[in-house]
Amino acid sequence: RGQPGSALGPMSGAALAARPADHRVVVLSMIAEHCNTTGDIGRPASQLAAHFPSLSAQLGELPEQWWFNGGCPKKPNCAEKGLFGRRETVKEMQQRVRDFDHWLTNRPEQVVVAFGHSIFWKHFAKQQKLMRNCEVVQFDW
């Protein structure tokens, strides 16, 4: 096993994002961070597609508001408007973990690389410890 980044050398996220996207790249909202604070609210899919043009096709498959919105149209979670209507419960996030596990189990690939946030992965792996920023962990399923 190589060191993180060894296959491409040390590259910034911006440099990787500028490369043409592989057709096997899938963007999933279900592995988003646990929406517990205003910092966990995402940017609209159209803004992400404009910022990362090499992933615009994949990002275009997301709903415009892809993050947890609380299910209440009168009190949405919206970073642009500075609104935080409701936190996502742990039970709601755990349902996303189960959805991802189901999605992953039904994939034909032998190797899947997924990027996400530590609280999501903590629940996915049924661990007590949070991953560190940029930590790489291998899961066998």
Side-chain angles (χ1 to χ4, degrees):
R1 294 183 190 167
Q3 295 298 314
S6 63
L8 298 173
M11 296 185 76
S12 71
L16 288 171
R19 297 174 59 128
D22 186 282
H23 71 280
R24 293 172 289 170
V25 172
V26 178
V27 178
L28 299 172
S29 62
M30 72 178 86
I31 62 174
E33 178 64 293
H34 178 217
C35 191
N36 196 40
T37 69
T38 56
D40 301 328
I41 300 171
R43 293 186 348 203
S46 59
Q47 285 183 15
L48 293 172
H51 193 76
F52 301 102
S54 65
L55 295 172
S56 61
Q58 293 87 346
L59 291 164
E61 294 179 20
L62 288 175
E64 186 67 359
Q65 184 178 333
W66 52 268
W67 57 90
F68 178 79
N69 66 13
C72 181
K74 293 181 182 178
K75 294 179 79 177
N77 290 337
C78 180
E80 289 184 298
K81 297 177 183 173
L83 301 173
F84 189 66
R86 182 168 83 78
R87 286 177 169 80
E88 180 181 29
T89 67
V90 171
K91 186 176 179 180
E92 289 167 322
M93 190 208 45
Q94 288 173 333
Q95 180 59 53
R96 289 192 295 109
V97 169
R98 287 189 296 276
D99 292 345
F100 177 67
D101 186 54
H102 178 75
W103 179 87
L104 194 59
T105 301
N106 289 294
R107 296 301 301 172
E109 296 88 0
Q110 295 295 310
V111 176
V112 173
V113 177
F115 298 88
H117 293 271
S118 63
I119 293 175
F120 181 89
W121 296 120
K122 174 184 169 182
H123 286 271
F124 180 79
K126 298 176 177 71
Q127 300 287 322
Q128 295 300 313
K129 163 184 127 137
L130 289 175
M131 293 172 60
R132 295 182 314 265
N133 281 342
C134 302
E135 184 175 2
V136 175
V137 177
Q138 178 177 320
F139 299 111
D140 295 318
W141 78 96

